[in-house]
Amino acid sequence: MKGHLAGKVAVVTGSGRGIGRGLAIAMAKEGAKLVVNDLDKDPAEETAKLIKDAGAQAAVCVGGVDRRDGAQAIIDTAISNFGRIDILVNNAGIIRDAMMHKMTEEQFDSVVGVHLKGAWNCTQAAVKHMMEQKSGKIINIISLAGISGNVGQANYSAAKAGMIGLTKSNAKEFARYGINVNAIGPAAFTRMVESIPEQIREVMAKRIPLGRFGTPEDIAPAVIFLASEDSNYITGQVLHVDGGMSIAF
Ligand SMILES: NC(=O)c1ccc[n+]([C@@H]2O[C@H](COP(=O)([O-])OP(=O)(O)OC[C@H]3O[C@@H](n4cnc5c(N)ncnc54)[C@H](O)[C@@H]3O)[C@@H](O)[C@H]2O)c1
């Protein structure tokens, strides 16, 4: 397939639903071969079917990024099916909101485990191949909560702030290998946003300068740009694709 990502092999974690699914399909339409990962089998297989229906190639790896063996299996799926890995999008995510004084250790550990440890796990497994190839693009999906903080989201905000630190450290470490590491802060209407109480959601939407929540399709062009060779001279950056939400809060 022709396109900005022609011939590239991409992994998108948590691509069974939401932003991850939108990114995986859009990247496949730009010519990438996709590894679809999710904790849940049916949505992951549905994403792979949508990619194949669009005439592109996809392989599925079901499992959690929060586990070392899960992350290794995802990257191994790219190598065994397509022979390399060019692009890693650390997108998988959960929220377990609670006020700090009531937050359980499980709520803290699970959220930090999927976002921060998950990104660390997958990156570590992927960079071994990228360093040998002397090329690669890593895109970490962060959140405005990681910059501004959020009531009831100490776990999530801390995990996303950690991912920003990971992005910048990894950008410095891997620059010499031709590996670019950047982050995207999205805002898109997904299952995750749907779980926010309606009243709060309405207030949030009104404060977005461009007047609406985005869609996964709104996020995809920026990810495709950072995954493509057009971004070879960009690393260690955080780009907000959020209708201006980040300047409004
Ligand atoms: N939607 C937004 O406005 C928004 C804003 C800021 C950041 N984000 C971030 O974008 C990313 C995608 O969120 P979304 O809104 O599409 O949510 P979503 O709930 O629609 O999708 C997340 C996917 O990740 C999967 N997942 C959960 N735990 C996993 C694990 N351990 N291993 C593999 N997969 C796992 C889920 O099964 C789900 O399919 C997340 O990292 C989220 O924090 C979203």
Side-chain angles (χ1 to χ4, degrees):
M1 267 181 118
K2 287 186 181 165
H4 283 93
L5 306 179
K8 303 284 184 192
V9 177
V11 168
V12 182
T13 67
S15 47
R17 299 184 183 82
I19 293 172
R21 171 178 285 183
L23 298 182
I25 293 171
M27 292 168 83
K29 287 182 178 168
E30 286 294 332
K33 297 168 193 167
L34 259 296
V35 173
V36 176
N37 153 258
D38 208 279
L39 203 51
D40 300 327
K41 184 170 177 279
D42 290 350
E45 285 181 349
E46 177 64 22
T47 301
K49 184 179 177 303
L50 291 168
I51 289 171
K52 288 176 187 166
D53 288 350
Q57 294 182 56
V60 174
C61 180
V62 177
V65 295
D66 46 321
R67 294 176 52 108
R68 300 285 288 163
D69 55 356
Q72 189 61 53
I74 296 166
I75 305 306
D76 288 350
T77 302
I79 305 302
S80 60
N81 283 272
F82 305 124
R84 55 189 289 123
I85 171 166
D86 300 293
I87 301 157
L88 168 64
V89 184
N90 285 311
N91 165 83
I94 57 168
I95 46 174
R96 298 286 182 269
D97 295 358
M99 297 303 280
M100 178 67 184
H101 63 288
K102 291 183 185 162
M103 190 175 283
T104 64
E105 189 176 3
E106 195 282 326
Q107 285 172 321
F108 182 82
D109 285 348
S110 60
V111 168
V112 172
V114 175
H115 292 276
L116 180 54
K117 179 97 183 280
W120 185 78
N121 283 338
C122 292
T123 298
Q124 209 173 46
V127 288
K128 288 168 190 151
H129 301 283
M130 291 178 174
M131 286 164 80
E132 271 177 27
Q133 291 166 194
K134 296 228 175 326
S135 67
K137 305 280 184 188
I138 300 172
I139 298 143
N140 293 322
I141 305 298
I142 59 104
S143 167
L144 186 54
I147 294 170
S148 306
N150 208 7
V151 172
Q153 292 195 319
N155 50 359
Y156 182 71
S157 304
K160 290 303 199 186
M163 285 177 75
I164 296 171
L166 190 72
T167 301
K168 294 183 178 184
S169 298
N170 286 349
K172 287 182 176 174
E173 280 189 27
F174 298 126
R176 76 191 72 161
Y177 298 99
I179 301 169
N180 305 57
V181 190
N182 291 291
I184 294 263
F189 197 85
T190 62
R191 180 180 73 152
M192 190 176 277
V193 173
E194 239 178 330
S195 72
I196 301 170
E198 200 178 339
Q199 279 171 308
I200 298 174
R201 237 168 42 207
E202 278 173 11
V203 173
M204 284 170 79
K206 279 188 191 140
R207 289 177 68 180
I208 298 174
L210 290 178
R212 63 173 176 88
F213 268 106
T215 63
E217 292 70 31
D218 285 317
I219 314 303
V223 174
I224 289 166
F225 168 65
L226 289 177
S228 78
E229 290 179 10
D230 291 342
S231 68
N232 279 355
Y233 200 55
I234 301 174
T235 200
Q237 303 304 306
V238 179
L239 175 62
H240 296 279
V241 185
D242 63 357
M245 191 190 262
S246 49
I247 54 168
F249 276 68

